[in-house]
């Protein structure tokens, strides 16, 4: 049997992509090497779903377009929020600049005196009363909670997930791709998408260069018990050897230190390794009496030169890796899936040419490069040397400026993504549509198929609606109601991922431009069948 699309990896990106493909009429197969759903171990890592309530919102609004609402995310964020509430009540003996800044962040979250819009290298981005009112702070979701939610979404869509199946290699064939599992089984597919993480076997099989910077720091994290818990201060503490982040609930500790040593990142973090690192950085002889959920990561940052090799594509960490600061990797990967899903579906269904997939790398490579850049910058601000800490103090001062708060909050929330427009096009082309800030709250929108493109007009326009002939199996016309209160162009052609493909300010204008955009993004028109 040959599958339309095989997705390697059932993490957040793989699950969301498979759901996308299923929504668009395909029947993908997801291969996952890990244990079945519902058995995710408790993990001290937290994913952050960033999003501003204003016009720049990205991931939260994208998920809402597919039926995963902000309420759904809030409902599964309880554990992470309890974690933050516990942090906010801590009393720390630490008096360092970094520790004081972190304590201020926790106090703002816990007492809700101000709105915390995010952080940059643990420097809080705090909006004062009346400041940046169109923005909201991040929504924090634990990894296993998010996976459970995305599993339920995929299951409801009818996605087939096969556990205990690890992709060892993949190669292009004459009319598709061939996947080889670790046990030797071979599976044929028309297309393969590697969502199998930073050590992606799919990417390695393609030979696509994975270029970037080597690690200069290593962080070890675990849930631990200590023989003398009071020996380490709660919160964030900078020392001469590195950085400690101690959380009493659920008892997790992160230890960051400069290192150029060769690490076997596949090897399990032992109690001895973690304890030795903890002692080096803390300067104490504290003993780790028990350890669980231990892992390590570095600040290496790499990106695939291209996200496509024939019939093989990459998404999420398989395409880009960077230090996990601010939850940016999650947003980046989910936006990869949102960008790729509808395009791949149109190609597989024969409605659009394969050249449409060239726009996937063109559009998604630059946002990942920007995340790699800002995560490298944050790594510098975490270093304990005097020069880096002086730079950190300067950044803390800069983040008191309203313009800087807006810029850095939008940057870490992926809200600056703009796919751009060519000369002569409307300036809103390439931007996320503001219409989706009211999407689902308007009766006329509620029944609109969110898996299609939309031709949205501010008033009835028969000429524009007539231009859709030949594309109505891919694009739906919608007229905005008068009470939306949005300052939008007269008409917008919006792609299934929420981005604007064409716009005009004038009624009855640029019909040729609309048809060209329809062809570029949705394929050639389908001629009507005559009896």
């Amino acid at each position: 049997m040959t599958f339309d699309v095989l997705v390697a990896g059932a993490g957040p990106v793989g699950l969301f992509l498979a759901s996308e493909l299923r929504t668009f009429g395909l029947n993908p197969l997801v291969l996952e090497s890990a244990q079945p759903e519902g058995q995710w171990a408790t993990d001290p890592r937290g994913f952050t779903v960033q999003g501003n309530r204003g016009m720049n919102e990205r991931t939260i609004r994208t998920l809402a377009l597919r039926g995963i609402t902000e309420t759904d995310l809030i409902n599964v964020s309880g554990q992470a929020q309890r974690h933050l509430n516990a942090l906010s009540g801590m009393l720390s003996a630490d008096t360092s600049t970094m520790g004081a800044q972190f304590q201020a962040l926790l106090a703002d979250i816990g007492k809700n005196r101000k709105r915390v819009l995010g952080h940059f290298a643990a420097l809080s981005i705090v909006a004062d009363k009346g400041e940046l009112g169109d923005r909201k702070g991040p929504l924090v979701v634990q990894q296993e909670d998010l996976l459970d939610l995305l599993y339920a979404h995929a299951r409801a869509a009818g996605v087939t997930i096969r556990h205990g199946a690890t992709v060892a290699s993949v190669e292009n064939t004459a009319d598709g791709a061939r996947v080889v599992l670790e046990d030797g089984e071979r599976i044929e597919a028309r297309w393969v998408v590697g969502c199998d993480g930073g050590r992606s076997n799919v990417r390695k099989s393609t030979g696509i260069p994975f270029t970037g910077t080597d690690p200069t720091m290593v962080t070890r994290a675990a849930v631990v018990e200590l023989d003398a818990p009071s020996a380490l201060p709660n919160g964030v503490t900078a020392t001469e050897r590195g950085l400690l982040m101690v959380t009493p609930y659920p008892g997790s500790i992160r230890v960051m230190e400069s290192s150029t040593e060769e690490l076997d990142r596949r090897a399990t973090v032992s109690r001895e390794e973690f304890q030795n690192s903890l002692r080096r950085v803390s300067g104490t002889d504290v003993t780790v009496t028990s350890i669980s959920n231990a892992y390590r990561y570095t600040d290496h940052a790499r990106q695939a030169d291209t996200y496509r090799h024939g019939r093989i594509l990459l998404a999420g960490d398989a395409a880009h890796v960077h230090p996990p600061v601010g939850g940016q990797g999650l947003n980046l990967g989910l936006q990869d899936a949102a960008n790729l899903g509808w395009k791949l579906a149109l190609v597989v269904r024969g409605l659009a040419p394969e050249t449409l997939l060239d726009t996937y790398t063109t559009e998604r490579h630059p946002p990942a490069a920007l995340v790699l850049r800002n995560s490298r910058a944050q790594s510098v601000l975490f270093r304990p040397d005097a020069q880096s800490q002086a730079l950190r103090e300067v950044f803390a001062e800069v983040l008191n400026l309203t313009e800087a708060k807006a810029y850095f909050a939008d940057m870490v929330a992926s809200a600056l993504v703009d796919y751009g427009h060519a000369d002569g096009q409307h300036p809103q082309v390439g931007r996320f549509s503001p219409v989706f800030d009211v999407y689902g709250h308007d009766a006329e929108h509620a029944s609109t198929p969110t898996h299609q493109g939309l031709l949205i007009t501010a008033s009835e326009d028969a000429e524009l609606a007539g231009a859709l002939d030949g594309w109505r199996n891919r694009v739906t016309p919608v007229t905005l109601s008068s009470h939306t209160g949005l300052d939008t162009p007269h008409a917008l052609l919006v792609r299934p991922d929420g981005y604007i493909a064409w716009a005009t300010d004038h009624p009855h204008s640029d019909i040729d431009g609309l048809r060209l955009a329809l062809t570029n993004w949705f394929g050639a028109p389908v001629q009507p069948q005559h009896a």
Side-chain angles (χ1 to χ4, degrees), residues 196-392:
D196 50 341
R199 301 173 187 142
S200 170
N201 287 335
V202 173
R203 185 194 65 245
K204 293 174 183 177
S205 297
T206 66
I208 295 174
F210 200 47
T211 56
T213 51
D214 293 329
T216 64
M217 305 182 75
V218 59
T219 300
R220 297 173 177 87
V223 175
V224 302
E225 292 182 3
L226 305 175
D227 65 334
S230 61
L232 302 178
N234 291 327
V236 180
T237 304
T239 75
E240 294 181 354
R241 298 295 303 273
L243 182 72
L244 295 175
M245 298 181 69
V246 180
T247 307
Y249 176 90
S252 64
I253 296 178
R254 297 191 188 203
V255 187
M256 180 184 298
E257 59 181 322
S258 298
S259 175
T260 57
E261 65 177 306
E262 289 292 329
L263 294 171
D264 180 2
R265 286 179 289 134
R266 293 180 180 272
T268 301
V269 178
S270 67
R271 185 187 68 83
E272 290 75 15
E273 177 188 342
F274 189 88
Q275 178 177 278
N276 290 339
S277 178
L278 182 58
R279 288 179 173 180
R280 284 193 299 269
V281 173
S282 68
T284 70
D285 59 355
V286 64
T287 297
V288 175
T289 57
S290 72
I291 185 170
S292 62
N293 305 108
Y295 64 98
R296 71 175 75 77
Y297 60 86
T298 71
D299 63 340
H300 79 297
R302 299 186 181 280
Q303 186 175 17
D305 288 4
T306 178
Y307 293 176
R308 180 188 173 195
H309 177 68
R311 293 293 187 96
I312 305 168
L313 297 140
L314 305 174
D317 288 352
H320 38 71
V321 295
H322 57 86
V325 285
Q328 294 183 91
L330 174 64
N331 291 285
L332 200 58
L334 290 176
Q335 290 292 326
D336 287 348
N339 186 286
L340 175 60
W342 65 276
K343 295 176 181 178
L344 183 55
L346 287 176
V347 171
V348 172
R349 291 168 60 194
L351 296 172
E354 286 190 21
T355 52
L356 178 61
L357 293 174
D358 294 336
T359 67
Y360 172 53
T361 296
T362 300
E363 292 186 334
R364 293 306 302 162
H365 200 276
L370 290 176
V371 170
L372 264 65
R373 185 186 71 169
N374 84 58
S375 62
R376 288 182 181 119
Q378 292 186 69
S379 290
V380 172
L381 297 179
F382 278 127
R383 293 174 186 168
D385 61 272
Q387 291 84 356
S388 298
Q389 287 305 297
L391 181 62
R392 184 181 183 84

Side-chain angles (χ1 to χ4, degrees), residues 16 54 63 172 228 244 248:
F16 186 60
L63 294 175
N172 284 295
L244 295 175

Side-chain angles (χ1 to χ4, degrees), residues 10-236:
V13 177
L15 289 172
F16 186 60
L17 175 62
S19 299
E20 286 285 272
L21 297 172
R22 186 69 178 138
T23 297
F24 287 97
L26 303 186
N27 189 20
L29 172 65
V30 180
L31 300 181
E32 169 57 44
S33 59
Q35 65 267 40
E37 60 182 285
Q39 297 181 16
W40 309 104
T42 300
D43 193 324
R45 286 172 285 189
F47 281 131
T48 304
V49 181
Q50 296 276 6
N52 300 329
R53 280 194 188 276
M55 298 301 176
N56 287 330
E57 189 172 47
R58 290 296 187 271
T59 304
I60 292 175
R61 187 55 58 194
T62 297
L63 294 175
L65 290 176
R66 299 297 181 262
I68 302 175
T69 67
E70 186 172 0
T71 299
D72 294 329
L73 293 168
I74 291 172
N75 287 340
V76 301
S77 69
Q79 179 178 348
Q81 194 59 53
R82 288 192 296 273
H83 189 175
L84 287 176
N85 290 341
L87 280 169
S88 67
M90 296 188 317
L91 296 176
S92 175
D94 174 39
T95 58
S96 70
T97 301
M98 188 179 298
Q101 180 65 231
F102 188 68
Q103 289 301 314
L105 170 63
L106 296 175
D108 287 329
I109 294 173
K111 298 180 182 178
N112 201 29
R113 295 196 308 263
K114 302 177 181 179
R115 288 178 298 111
V116 180
L117 303 180
H119 73 86
F120 192 80
L123 291 169
S124 57
I125 305 171
V126 181
D128 294 319
K129 184 177 180 180
E131 186 180 33
L132 301 175
D134 62 335
R135 290 168 172 83
K136 184 186 176 184
L139 177 62
V140 181
V141 182
Q142 287 291 101
Q143 178 176 357
E144 65 271 20
D145 296 330
L146 180 65
L147 284 170
D148 284 344
L149 180 62
L150 291 175
Y151 256 108
H153 180 63
R155 185 167 52 246
V159 173
T160 300
I161 303 171
R162 180 176 163 188
H163 289 272
T166 302
V167 173
S169 65
V170 59
E171 62 180 352
N172 284 295
T173 61
D175 56 355
R178 179 178 299 112
V179 170
V180 180
L181 304 186
E182 281 191 345
D183 63 5
E185 180 183 354
R186 295 170 179 262
I187 303 175
E188 302 292 330
R190 295 173 64 187
W191 293 85
V192 172
V193 185
C195 302
D196 50 341
R199 301 173 187 142
S200 170
N201 287 335
V202 173
R203 185 194 65 245
K204 293 174 183 177
S205 297
T206 66
I208 295 174
F210 200 47
T211 56
T213 51
D214 293 329
T216 64
M217 305 182 75
V218 59
T219 300
R220 297 173 177 87
V223 175
V224 302
E225 292 182 3
L226 305 175
D227 65 334
S230 61
L232 302 178
N234 291 327
V236 180

Side-chain angles (χ1 to χ4, degrees), residues 497-514:
D497 59 355
Y499 285 82
I500 299 171
W502 170 89
T504 183
D505 291 319
H506 308 290
H508 320 299
S509 68
D510 197 24
I511 300 299
D512 289 340
L514 171 58

Side-chain angles (χ1 to χ4, degrees), residues 443-457:
E444 292 177 272
H445 295 170
S447 60
T448 301
T450 59
H451 62 280
Q452 290 197 318
L454 300 175
L455 178 62
I456 302 174
T457 55

